[in-house]
Amino acid sequence: MIPFARHCSVAAEAEYVTACLRSGSTSGDGPFTRRASALLGQLLGVERVLLTTSCTHALEMMPLVLGLQPGDEVIMPSFTFSSTANAFALRGVTIRFAEVDGDRWSMGPDEVLPLLNARTRAVVAVGYNGVSHRLAELEALCALHGVVLLVDAAQSFGATHGGRSVASYGALSALSFHATKNLSCGEGGALIVNDASLLHRAEMVREKGTDRSQFLRGEVDKYTWRCVGSSYLMSDLNAAVLLAQLESFEAIQAHRHAVWSAYRSALAPASSRLGFSLQVLDEADSHPAHLFGLLLPRTIERAPLLAAIAEAGVRATSHYEPLHSAPAHGGSETLPVTDGVAARMLRLPIHGEVSAQEAARIAALLVSMLERHGSGGEP
Ligand SMILES: Cc1ncc(COP(=O)(O)O)c(C=O)c1O
């Protein structure tokens, strides 16, 4: 069975982990964290990187750093992972779920504008396959309305918009190094602090609400509990793995792009004939080949198709269930574009153990299944 996602192991990981263990210093903000943060900053073109235990935790830091309160509102797409919403729900912030663009599968300024009001404090852009629709325009819209732009860049490592990394947008952005992501250290993430005025507070939120980071730099003579925070530091062991992954960034990305392009070139010619859609990518955006998704023809049932693909030895899968209609939210919004995208989405495996040749074979298999369905047969 070709799995859906795999950690792409690189040679230096074991060496760095062993060195970290032998050093006797494995907690957060050690030497590997410093090296990984510096390299990450360089790759993203950003200055302030705080490694965290996960993207979920980097997102959870956002309302704490901004001091959001119950009664405040935040706008985000419904078509995202629960962590984007939990981060704000945990602080009692009201969530306004927005539509996504039906061809690009992420939220842009047109989807945000109708939801902006006097209580809106922040907008959370979420990159789908790393791409966040019209991100620079969304940034300008937020600035015009005095609202903070935040970016959930969990899938966006390697993505750019207007020549800048997606994670360099927003006052704060969050990255994921979960095992399913392009680069992974098992569980891990990063908070990117693009607004320098938020750095001190972000450091304290990450260090149990204390000014320990300043203490370690010799800026204060003792450290004190100063605000509400938690323990969001990545262990130096995870940072050792992450450093090795970051050093292999180009090779990992080159492989993923080859697989992604093999899917795309095999599927694109059949899409209008068979009634499925591929992600529309604008000139301003470059995607990071994080996922390969397609929207199935409206007439096809996804579950039996996924079962038939699995029967042929390939694990394909759906994606996010919309949050606006999830039991944890209990809202009454109707978001038909989101519902359609979520119901029709099918993702194909993309990782270090799938070759471009296999991707072409998987694409051909899918095309033949959809052709059989079109002619009235089973998938
Ligand atoms: C958009 C988005 N945000 C946040 C997360 C959570 O990332 P992590 O597993 O690093 O906490 C994910 C996970 O896939 C995601 O897709």
Side-chain angles (χ1 to χ4, degrees), residues 11-215:
E13 282 168 12
E15 182 197 326
Y16 290 176
V17 168
T18 306
C20 181
L21 286 170
R22 291 209 173 121
S23 74
S25 159
T26 54
S27 55
D29 280 341
F32 282 104
T33 300
R34 283 194 288 278
R35 286 170 66 189
S37 304
L39 182 51
L40 181 54
Q42 204 181 306
L43 290 169
L44 294 172
V46 300
E47 283 177 32
R48 290 163 292 275
V49 173
L50 299 178
L51 295 188
T52 58
T53 34
S54 63
C55 180
T56 298
H57 279 166
L59 291 164
E60 282 181 23
M61 288 174 68
M62 291 178 173
L64 291 172
V65 172
L66 297 175
L68 300 191
Q69 304 286 333
D72 292 338
E73 289 189 11
V74 62
I75 299 170
M76 66 179 66
S78 165
F79 190 59
T80 182
F81 194 57
S82 58
S83 295
T84 324
N86 272 326
F88 297 87
L90 275 166
R91 306 293 148 208
V93 173
T94 302
I95 299 170
R96 297 279 170 227
F97 285 118
E99 279 284 26
V100 287
D101 178 274
D103 297 322
R104 295 162 182 83
W105 316 332
S106 68
M107 177 191 78
D110 291 349
E111 290 76 39
V112 168
L113 188 58
L115 299 178
L116 284 167
N117 67 68
R119 288 178 302 279
T120 312
R121 292 285 314 279
V123 170
V124 190
V126 181
Y128 195 77
N129 183 30
V131 177
S132 187
H133 184 37
R134 292 166 61 197
L135 189 53
E137 288 176 67
L138 187 58
E139 182 179 56
L141 180 72
C142 287
L144 188 67
H145 288 261
V147 164
V148 182
L149 176 68
L150 303 168
V151 181
D152 181 339
Q155 302 178 12
S156 302
F157 191 40
T160 62
H161 176 80
R164 273 169 58 190
S165 70
V166 166
S168 73
Y169 284 83
L172 300 166
S173 69
L175 291 165
S176 173
F177 300 111
H178 181 264
T180 52
K181 299 301 185 291
N182 292 26
L183 263 58
S184 140
C185 59
E187 300 276 355
L191 184 77
I192 309 301
V193 184
N194 293 315
D195 178 344
S197 70
L198 299 175
L199 181 64
H200 181 43
R201 184 146 175 118
E203 283 183 337
M204 292 195 295
V205 166
R206 179 170 164 269
E207 267 283 21
K208 299 93 177 167
T210 73
D211 50 6
R212 185 163 179 270
S213 299
Q214 281 191 295
F215 170 72

